[in-house]
Structure formats: C-alpha cells, structure tokens
C-alpha cells in the first residue's frame, strides 16, 4: 500500500495503542514561579514509566497567580499509574518528599470527581499533633507547621479512572540532529495541550521497547525493528533513508486530550518537513490486541 | 421560582414556634393544608392561617413578609431550599439546620444558628447571645456551614464552635469563641473581653482585638498560605473578612488554660 504523505513526510497507516490508567492532578503553589516549578520538577522526577518508577508524571502547565486559590504562582502536575492503590502511594510519597519539603509550597486539588485520593489527609501526621484542619464549604485543608511557616495542603484530590496512557509517535529521520529537531518541535506543540504530560526526559524516549526478550528475567527489551544499526541484521521496520528514531509518549487525563496532543505533534512535524526534520512518522502498537484505545495516525492528520 | 409567601397579619401576642415551616416539611402541601398547621405556642390554639396570609408558591423558597422577635425556630432543622424573612426573628433561628439558606433581613434573638451543621445562615442586622452555640446540656455548638451576621452580636458568639465559619461584621460582646472546639470565628468590629476563653482548637480572627487573656501566648507575625486561601473563599460572602485575612497576621496561641491548640489572629 502506498504510504500517506503530507508535506513530504511519510505517515504510516498505523496506530498508537494505549491503555486505561488511573490519573490525578494537583496544583502546587509557591511564593514565586521559580519555587513552584522547583517543587513540581522534583515531584515529577524519576516518573518516566510505570515499569520502573511506579508512576508516570509530568508538568501540565503553569498557572498564573490570578487563577490559584492562594493568589501565588502555581504549576499543575499530573500523575498516572496502573492502579488506584499505586497512584495513592505514589502521590503521598511524592508530595511528602518533594512538595512538603520545598520552601514556601502549598498543594491543592486540581481534578474534580467523586473518587478521591488522599493528600493532606495522609501528610497531616507530619504535624505531630500541631496540624490544623480547616473546612470551608466543600473544601477541606490541612495546615502543617513547618520550619518556614506552614504547609497548606488540600485533604484530597480527584481521581479519574478514564485516564489514558501510552499514546505515542515514532519520529524517524535521516540522522539524530534532524530527528531531534522534529522531536523538540513536536514536544513544544504537544505541551500546549491541556491535560497531558510527556513523561520521558524532555518528552522524548530514545529506547523504545518491544514486549519480551531472549532473557527470561526481562519483560521488555530493545525494539530491534526500529534500531537503525540493526537495519540489515533483523526484520527491520526502517527504510534506507532512516538513521534515527525518537519516540514521544503521551499520558492524558482523557482519551480526547491524548488524541489532541498527538494531532498537535503530527502537525508540528509535518510543518517542519522532511529535509530538516523527520522523513517518516509511525506509531507503536501491539497489533491491537492489548490496549483498548487505538489512535490512528491517518485520523489525526492536519 | 415563585416563592411561597407568608405575610404576617399582625404582631403575635405570644411567642410562636415556626419550626414546622421549612421547605422539607411543607413540600407537597396545599395552601389550605399549610393554613391548618397548628403552631406551638401557649395553651391557646393557633394555626398558620390565623397568623399569616398565605400566597401559594414553591415550598423550596419560603418568604416571610414581616417579622417579629416573637417568631422562634425559623428554619429549624432545615435541610434544603431557602427561607427569607423580611423582618426580625426570635430565638433559635436556623437551629440544627444542615443545608439550604436562611436569610433574615432584620435582627435575631439568642441562639441564632445554634448547632447548625451545614448550609448558610445570614442575618442582615444584629443577633443575640450565644450565636451558633449549644443549648444547656449540649456538648457541641455549631458544627458546619457558614453563619454571617452583618451587624453586631451579643455575648459568647461561637460558644463550643466545632466546625464551620462564623463572620460578625460589626462588634461582638464578651467571651466570643468561648470553649471553642475548632472552626473559625471572625469579628470585624469591636470585640468584648476575653476572646477565646477556654478555647481548645480553632481560629479566631479579630480586626480590633481587646487585650487578650494572659493564657494566650505570642507566636509572632506571619503571612500564611491558608489565610490567602480563606481570603479568596470569603470574598464573595464578606469582603471585610477577606480583607482581614489578606493582611499579614499576628498570631497568638491558646487558651493555654485548656488544650492550647487554638489561635487568635489580628492585623500585624
């Protein structure tokens, strides 16, 4: 079949296969942008893949002081995991170790919903009896005395069972320089979409994996079909003009958010064109048997 | 939504218990059925129809045209809907209410908002003693919701307050926040003697504090994130209270004669 082409970029007739996840969102505020971003960055560190990190997390967007509950600059953080229990553990560990500890920080719920995850309800015990509960309307906060004043933390935040993890784009270019340029532009465009995070370093993963391995203890191993150095040695998926593949993985609070992010990324890569960017775009799947969400690239084209 | 209107024919001769006239209790009743409801008073038998002229409307919105300090228990155990009193109310206004809105344009007697656990009670003018407080023998006062008094209140406002927020926009009598268990009490005008007397936990914010009891200890000036959040939440309800919380606040901890985990804030 002839591949689809847009602005000279070949688009695979393929789809990204994604899985249901549990997701949550919190808003971290601080006396200024630097420290709000610092707490958020620390909290979302080592959160690239549920396989090794327990959770996938990232920064959704900054929030201006006009829109935060306490009138200070804020950052919205999204956290995803495969089960509600793991998500709960990860949320409390990460807020407790990375936000509670960050100077001047406060932490608020940022997702509606009847399913709730504890934040302050668990972290309050750090107050050693000096913690103060404050309710107003349907909101419940905990004030925990700390060395720079008080850590203010909302008691609970919302949990969604409709989050989607594993949306992806495979950007294939002639060389690392051009491929990275395409990836950077795509990441910038996708970060504009609300309700998604790109959990890998700078949004990009260079070590895409396949299921299984020749070694018994490995559940996943390198995706040899997309390794350019193995092009002649294995059943490759790469064309002769491809020397580098970078993947962008997307987790979103909704299926629509993931689709919107993939659409934005595709548009950016296509606009850049093949000469300075990617010559071909594909997507990773497992034949459609494992994940219920299928994002077909041809449906997402500009 | 067209309200059910109850117009007071004349000042009643005796105290009247209006506790039965809440939305959840008269929902589905016709005007005639409402008129036949017997009101608790003295030995004299009185019905709603004897006291009020009734104009049909939704039971979820009840309007009393005209009021009196003899009308007790308005909004008693209210769960939903709204009651508006265009006049005064007697004692126990909004007592034990758990939801909905009660608005009194005029004054209220003692024990307004007594033991309320949810919803909103707003008093346009003054209220008597023991605002939100428990009756004799009860262990807890108000335990949730929002109670706003635009005027002044009598003694011991917020007695045994356990949860919820009370805002007094003018002055409060002596011992406001006495025996507080938790919750928030805000007084924007003058404040009587010994605020927070024997309070265990909770927050009292005073725009013009009197001299505090020696059992309150100095914790210094702070600008706390929680105060900023409360300022934002209070702004639609009481701009004055929001302004108080938006400023740096002096914190005193007490009452050290009780548990000592309460606090009194005032502008630094």
């Amino acid at each position: 079949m002839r591949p689809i082409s847009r602005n000279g970029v070949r688009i695979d007739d393929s789809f990204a296969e994604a899985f249901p996840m549990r997701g949550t969102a919190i808003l971290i505020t601080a006396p200024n942008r630097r420290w709000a971003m610092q707490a958020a960055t620390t909290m979302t560190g080592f959160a690239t893949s549920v396989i090794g990190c327990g959770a996938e997390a990232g920064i959704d967007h900054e929030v201006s002081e006009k829109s935060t509950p306490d009138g200070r600059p804020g950052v919205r953080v999204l956290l995803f995991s495969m089960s509600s229990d793991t998500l709960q553990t990860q949320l409390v560990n990460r807020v407790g170790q990375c936000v509670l500890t960050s100077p001047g920080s406060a932490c608020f719920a940022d997702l509606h919903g009847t399913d709730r995850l504890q934040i302050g309800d668990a972290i309050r015990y750090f107050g050693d009896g000096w913690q103060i509960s404050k309710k107003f309307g349907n909101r419940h906060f905990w004030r925990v005395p700390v060395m720079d004043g008080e850590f203010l933390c909302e008691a609970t935040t919302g949990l969604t069972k409709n989050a989607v993890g594993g949306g992806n784009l495979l950007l294939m270019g002639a060389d690392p320089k051009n491929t990275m340029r395409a990836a950077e532009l795509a990441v910038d465009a996708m970060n504009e979409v609300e309700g998604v995070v790109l959990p890998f370093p700078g949004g990009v993963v260079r070590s895409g994996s396949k299921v299984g391995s020749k070694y018994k203890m490995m559940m996943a191993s390198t995706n040899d079909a997309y390794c350019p150095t193995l092009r002649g040695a294995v059943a490759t998926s790469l064309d002769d003009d491809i020397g580098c593949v970078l993947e962008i993985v997307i987790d979103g609070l909704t299926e629509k958010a993931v689709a919107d992010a993939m659409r934005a990324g595709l548009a950016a890569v296509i606009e850049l064109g093949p000469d300075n960017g990617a010559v071909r775009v594909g997507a990773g799947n497992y034949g459609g048997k494992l994940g219920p969400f299928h994002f077909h690239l041809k449906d997402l084209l500009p | 939504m067209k309200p059910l209107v109850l117009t007071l024919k004349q000042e009643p001769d005796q105290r009247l218990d209006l506790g039965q006239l809440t939305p959840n209790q008269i929902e589905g009743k016709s005007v005639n059925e409402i008129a036949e409801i017997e009101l608790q008073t003295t030995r004299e038998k009185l019905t709603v129809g004897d006291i009020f002229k009734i104009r049909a409307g939704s039971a979820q919105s009840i309007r009393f045209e005209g009021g009196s300090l003899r009308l007790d228990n308005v909004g008693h155990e209210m769960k939903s809907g709204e009651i508006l009193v265009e006049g005064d109310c007697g004692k126990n206004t909004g007592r034990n209410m758990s939801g909905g809105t009660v608005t009194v344009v005029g004054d209220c007697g003692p024990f307004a908002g007594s033991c309320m656990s949810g919803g909103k009670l707003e008093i346009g003018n003054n209220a008597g003693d023991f605002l939100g407080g428990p009756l004799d023998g009860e262990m807890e006062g108000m335990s949730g919701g929002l109670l706003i008094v635009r005027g002044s209140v009598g003694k011991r406002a917020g007695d045994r307050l356990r949860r919820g927020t009370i805002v007094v926009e003018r002055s409060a009598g002596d011992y406001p926040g006495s025996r507080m268990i938790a919750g928030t009490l805000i007084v924007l005008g003058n404040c009587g003697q010994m605020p927070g007397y024997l309070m265990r936990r909770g927050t009292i914010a005073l725009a013009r504090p009197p001299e505090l009891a020696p059992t309150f200890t100095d914790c210094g000036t702070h600008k706390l994130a929680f105060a900023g959040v409360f300022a934002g939440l209070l702004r639609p309800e009481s701009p004055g209270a929001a302004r108080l919380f938006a400023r740096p606040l002096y914190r005193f901890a007490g009452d050290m004669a009780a548990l000592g985990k309460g606090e009194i804030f005032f502008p630094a």
Side-chain angles (χ1 to χ4, degrees):
Chain A
M1 197 174 72
R2 276 176 61 84
I4 314 158
S5 178
R6 287 284 190 285
N7 193 27
V9 180
R10 307 194 296 278
I11 311 293
D12 288 3
D13 184 10
S14 179
F15 61 92
E17 186 171 356
F19 298 87
M21 290 186 94
R22 305 294 160 98
T24 187
I26 60 168
L27 175 65
I28 299 169
T29 64
N32 53 46
R33 284 176 64 192
R34 172 183 167 171
W35 285 102
M37 191 52 87
Q38 183 61 64
T41 308
T42 309
M43 187 196 154
T44 56
F46 187 58
T48 56
S49 164
V50 288
I51 297 170
C53 309
E56 299 179 8
I59 289 165
D60 189 359
H61 54 80
E62 285 192 63
V63 181
S64 119
E65 59 262 38
K66 294 190 187 80
S67 310
T68 58
D70 59 358
R72 307 189 303 168
V75 176
R76 188 187 201 213
V77 165
L78 308 186
L79 194 70
F80 300 89
S81 210
M82 296 309 282
S83 74
S84 301
D85 284 351
T86 319
L87 191 61
Q88 175 67 80
T89 309
Q90 286 287 328
L91 180 65
V92 169
N93 283 349
R94 285 166 185 270
V95 172
Q97 298 302 313
C98 309
V99 183
L100 166 67
T101 54
S102 181
S105 69
C107 181
F108 301 94
D110 206 19
L111 191 68
H112 295 293
T114 47
D115 294 318
R116 307 299 289 178
L117 291 172
Q118 293 185 339
I119 334 173
D121 274 349
I123 286 169
R124 62 176 160 143
Y125 295 107
F126 184 74
D128 199 25
W130 295 102
Q131 68 272 28
I132 296 172
S133 165
K134 279 288 158 208
K135 280 191 173 176
F136 193 95
N138 53 8
R139 299 190 75 166
H140 184 195
F141 303 96
W142 284 98
R143 296 163 55 194
V144 180
V146 285
M147 292 186 343
D148 73 347
E150 277 182 355
F151 176 54
L152 178 70
C153 189
E154 196 139 6
T156 62
T157 186
L159 158 74
T160 175
K161 296 178 176 174
N162 297 320
V164 172
N168 66 79
L169 292 175
L170 288 164
L171 308 183
M172 295 169 250
D175 56 38
K177 194 176 161 194
N178 280 350
T179 317
M180 191 174 275
R181 187 182 295 121
E184 286 168 359
L185 280 173
V187 165
D188 289 347
M190 294 161 91
N191 276 333
E192 295 296 312
V193 177
E194 200 158 304
V196 296
V197 295
L198 314 177
F200 282 96
V204 181
V205 47
R206 64 96 177 260
S207 59
S209 58
K210 67 173 183 291
V211 178
S213 160
K214 70 177 279 192
Y215 304 109
K216 274 184 189 160
M217 77 289 190
M218 295 290 285
M219 284 163 59
S221 59
T222 192
N223 195 356
D224 46 54
Y226 284 86
C227 292
T229 53
L230 302 179
R231 201 163 62 200
V234 299
T236 190
S237 297
L238 302 180
D239 312 308
D240 291 345
D241 61 348
I242 292 165
C244 173
V245 183
L246 294 175
E247 183 176 355
I248 300 175
V249 174
I250 307 122
D251 294 334
L253 292 174
T254 61
E255 187 180 357
K256 181 181 180 299
V258 174
D260 288 347
M262 286 180 64
R263 194 177 285 120
L266 270 172
V269 172
I270 288 166
E271 193 191 335
L272 178 65
D275 296 340
N276 298 308
V279 298
R280 182 182 148 200
V281 182
N285 61 63
Y286 311 94
K289 290 179 192 133
L290 293 175
F293 303 105
H294 299 166
F295 299 97
H296 288 268
L297 295 182
K298 62 178 191 300
D299 299 336
L300 300 170
L301 290 174
Chain B
M1 190 166 58
K2 208 173 74 162
L4 176 80
V5 182
L6 299 164
T7 308
L8 193 63
K9 289 178 177 170
Q10 63 194 49
E11 171 94 13
D13 299 333
Q14 298 161 345
R15 304 202 73 82
L16 284 174
D17 179 351
L18 299 188
Q20 294 174 79
L21 299 180
T22 58
N24 41 306
Q25 288 182 91
I26 62 170
E27 182 76 67
K29 284 192 165 73
S30 69
V31 168
N32 285 340
E33 283 169 327
I34 295 169
E36 282 165 16
I37 295 173
E38 211 172 305
L39 294 175
Q40 297 299 311
T41 172
T42 56
R43 281 186 292 183
E44 204 175 315
K45 190 184 161 189
L46 275 180
T47 62
V48 172
D50 295 336
I51 304 292
F52 297 103
K53 204 170 79 197
I54 306 169
R55 203 160 77 223
S58 163
Q60 285 304 308
S61 175
I62 301 174
R63 198 166 91 207
F64 290 94
E65 286 183 347
S68 158
L69 287 170
R70 289 181 181 149
L71 302 180
D72 295 338
N73 293 329
V74 171
H76 183 250
E77 295 189 352
M78 172 127 153
K79 293 180 175 68
S80 62
E82 54 184 36
I83 293 178
L84 170 66
V85 183
E86 293 177 342
D88 300 335
C89 282
K91 63 176 184 175
N92 295 355
T93 307
R95 178 167 150 80
N96 282 336
M97 69 184 279
S98 56
T101 310
V102 176
T103 310
V104 179
V105 173
D107 292 334
C108 280
F111 294 101
S114 165
C115 298
M116 67 185 277
S117 60
K120 180 178 162 186
L121 170 59
E122 182 174 347
I123 298 166
N125 206 13
N126 301 330
D129 295 343
F130 288 97
L131 181 76
L135 300 187
D136 290 350
E138 291 177 334
M139 297 299 287
E140 291 175 359
M142 174 173 167
S143 63
L146 179 62
L147 207 178
I148 299 181
V149 181
R150 303 292 176 197
S152 299
V153 298
K155 291 176 186 171
R156 298 185 68 169
D159 185 45
R160 287 200 168 174
L161 174 64
R162 179 160 173 265
R163 197 184 294 131
T165 304
I166 299 177
V167 181
V168 177
E169 294 203 328
R170 297 184 73 180
S171 65
D174 293 342
Y175 303 104
S178 56
R179 309 188 291 178
M180 255 171 73
I181 302 162
T184 307
L185 170 66
I186 302 161
V187 180
L188 301 180
N190 291 325
C191 173
Q193 285 183 48
M194 302 278 257
Y197 185 63
L198 293 180
M199 74 190 288
R200 293 167 58 77
R201 280 177 297 263
T203 304
I204 299 176
L206 305 171
R208 293 185 217 161
E211 193 176 341
L212 299 184
T215 49
F216 281 82
T217 55
D218 187 339
C219 297
T221 304
H222 303 282
K223 192 149 177 33
L224 302 170
F226 120 84
V229 172
F230 250 53
L233 294 170
L234 283 165
R235 196 162 289 122
E237 310 290 352
S238 172
R243 276 196 297 278
L244 173 60
F245 270 102
R247 299 164 65 175
L249 294 168
Y250 216 112
R251 182 179 197 263
F252 275 76
D255 185 337
M256 294 301 168
L259 186 67
K261 287 187 175 173
E263 58 191 357
I264 295 181
F265 285 119
F266 49 84

